[in-house]
């Protein structure tokens, strides 16, 4: 990449940020389309979020991704936020348009797109979503637009109930909540087309864990595990062995990034390049 006086900058802010794969994925994408944009990671402490966003304006940074723990705090410093980011009180993408800063949330879009592009279109389907944390909230909001029925199960039931209530009011769909217990999961899976794990169960160092018993997985079920460390979780392995369609967490990661890329550049994202660079990097760091 030739950096010049005309090169624009995009980046990601978070804390910690050292292990982000975003620079690998986006720089590969910018290069593949010959876009004169460089992507960097910035470690920003919670007390410095306002200063970081003021810096984005002052330095005319084109776009930022925002990760933990700043997704909510950053909203205070933006000029406008889109409907999903406002609903979720969480921004993961900022676009600088001539000094005006616009906030978006591409997590939910990324999940829905990952399902659709991998042959598990959620339209008109019954979906069971495990988890009610930040990622689950974003996924529930976008999924509920498409599905016929959504069931949210979480270890802290109150969180599941609060999320289900919120989504039900926003989307006017059949949405219910329950506990993340073996009997409730098994029961909920009856008649379910798609299962999404948005808990951190199965994430390293607990890679041997899965929220679902293998015998509950069937060939007519599609399973997306949004955990991408390891690339193939125990749930994904079990689902594959049961003959179910499996969508990896890496796919959600790529498609939420692809949506950010399009917001920043207005170009069609080179999804294959993003997938290859992300997978190569994850394979390297996860071995
Ligand atoms: N593929 C992607 O693009 C992508 C994007 C975002 C996140 N992720 C991954 O998704 C996972 C969740 O991220 P997040 O940002 O939503 O985190 P979060 O806000 O901290 O939420 C964590 C969720 O996992 C549940 N949980 C955690 N430990 C559990 C356990 N031992 N047993 C049962 N439930 C448990 C929590 O339940 P309680 O409410 O009961 O605590 C909550 O629902 C992480 O592994 C993250 O890396 C992937």
């Amino acid at each position: 990449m030739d950096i010049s006086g005309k090169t624009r900058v995009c980046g990601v802010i978070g804390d910690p940020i050292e292990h982000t794969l975003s620079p690998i994925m986006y720089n590969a994408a910018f290069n593949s389309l010959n876009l004169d944009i460089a992507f960097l990671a910035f470690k920003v402490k919670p007390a410095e979020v306002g200063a970081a966003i003021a810096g984005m304006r002052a330095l005319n940074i084109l776009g930022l991704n925002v990760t933990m723990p700043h997704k909510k705090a950053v909203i205070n410093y933006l000029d406008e936020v889109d409907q999903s980011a406002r609903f979720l009180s969480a921004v993961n993408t900022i676009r600088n348009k001539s000094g005006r800063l616009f906030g978006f949330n591409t997590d939910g879009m990324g999940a829905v797109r990952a399902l659709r592009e991998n042959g598990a279109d959620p339209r008109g389907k019954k979906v069971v979503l495990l988890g009610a944390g930040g990622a689950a909230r974003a996924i529930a909001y976008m999924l509920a637009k498409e599905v016929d029925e959504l069931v949210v199960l979480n270890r802290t039931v109150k969180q599941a109930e609060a999320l289900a209530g919120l989504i039900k009011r926003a989307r006017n769909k059949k949405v219910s909540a329950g506990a993340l217990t073996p009997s409730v999961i098994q029961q909920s899976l009856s008649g379910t087309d798609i299962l999404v794990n948005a808990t951190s169960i199965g994430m390293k160092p607990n890679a041997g864990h899965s929220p679902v018993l293998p015998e509950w997985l069937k060939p007519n079920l599609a399973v997306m595990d949004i955990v991408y460390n390891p690339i193939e979780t125990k749930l994904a392995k079990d689902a594959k062995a049961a003959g179910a369609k499996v969508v990896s967490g890496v796919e959600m990661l790529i498609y939420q990034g692809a949506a950010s890329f399009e917001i920043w550049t207005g170009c069609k994202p080179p999804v294959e390049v993003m997938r290859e660079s992300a997978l190569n990097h994850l394979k390297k760091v996860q071995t």
Side-chain angles (χ1 to χ4, degrees):
M1 180 195 294
D2 292 325
I3 306 258
S4 75
K6 292 185 195 150
T7 304
R8 299 295 307 272
V9 174
C10 283
V12 55
I13 59 168
D15 184 15
I17 201 67
E18 293 79 359
H19 299 296
T20 178
L21 65 68
S22 297
I24 307 279
M25 183 172 78
Y26 288 117
N27 283 320
F30 295 142
N31 280 338
S32 78
L33 297 187
N34 284 322
L35 295 173
D36 193 7
I37 306 172
F39 190 100
L40 292 168
F42 301 102
K43 183 170 176 169
V44 172
K45 294 192 197 97
E48 302 289 347
V49 172
I53 299 305
M56 179 185 192
R57 285 182 205 274
L59 299 172
N60 197 23
I61 285 175
L62 173 65
L64 286 179
N65 271 155
V66 182
T67 186
M68 300 304 284
H70 306 320
K71 288 184 176 187
K72 183 172 184 183
V74 89
I75 292 175
N76 297 324
Y77 306 100
L78 305 179
D79 298 305
E80 278 184 47
V81 291
D82 80 344
Q83 196 192 17
S84 64
R86 197 171 334 111
F87 179 86
L88 298 163
S89 293
V91 158
N92 81 334
T93 302
I94 307 173
R95 165 80 210 267
N96 184 349
K97 277 190 197 163
S98 312
R100 278 187 74 72
L101 303 185
F102 295 81
F104 305 85
N105 192 308
T106 66
D107 282 336
M109 279 179 231
V112 170
R113 188 87 203 276
L115 286 169
R116 190 167 289 142
E117 297 290 333
N118 286 279
D121 193 334
R123 237 172 307 170
K125 300 283 164 55
K126 177 183 172 188
V127 179
V128 171
L129 173 67
L130 310 181
R137 285 169 62 83
I139 294 170
Y141 182 66
M142 291 313 280
L143 261 184
K145 219 166 118 180
E146 314 277 332
V147 301
D148 185 39
E149 182 181 354
L150 180 66
V151 181
V152 181
L153 306 180
N154 195 44
R155 176 177 62 179
T156 310
V157 188
K158 272 194 170 162
Q159 289 279 102
E161 287 169 348
L163 176 57
L166 207 66
I167 298 294
K168 202 171 172 172
R169 283 193 295 281
R171 298 290 194 205
N172 199 20
K173 286 275 173 76
K174 194 169 165 192
V175 187
S176 57
L180 193 74
T181 58
S183 61
V184 178
I185 298 174
Q186 187 182 14
Q187 231 170 18
S188 305
L189 284 177
S190 154
T192 290
D193 305 290
I194 301 174
L195 168 70
V196 177
N197 175 40
T199 73
S200 32
I201 299 173
M203 187 169 85
K204 276 187 183 169
N206 298 310
H209 296 196
S210 165
V212 177
L213 286 182
E215 53 268 34
W216 301 340
L217 300 164
K218 300 278 182 284
N220 58 355
L221 187 72
V223 177
M224 179 162 82
D225 193 341
I226 75 160
V227 172
Y228 58 85
N229 183 18
I231 296 172
E232 191 177 42
T233 60
K234 176 166 187 331
L235 171 59
K237 279 185 195 148
D238 291 346
K240 204 182 201 176
K245 188 181 284 296
V246 179
V247 183
S248 134
V250 180
E251 291 293 298
M252 171 174 162
L253 193 72
I254 291 161
Y255 282 107
Q256 59 82 26
S260 298
F261 180 96
E262 196 163 348
I263 287 168
W264 296 328
T265 65
C267 299
K268 190 169 178 285
V271 171
E272 201 40 60
V273 170
M274 295 174 84
R275 179 180 291 113
E276 196 187 328
S277 59
L279 277 172
N280 282 345
H281 177 75
L282 287 171
K283 279 179 195 154
K284 228 185 287 166
V285 295
Q286 289 184 13
T287 48

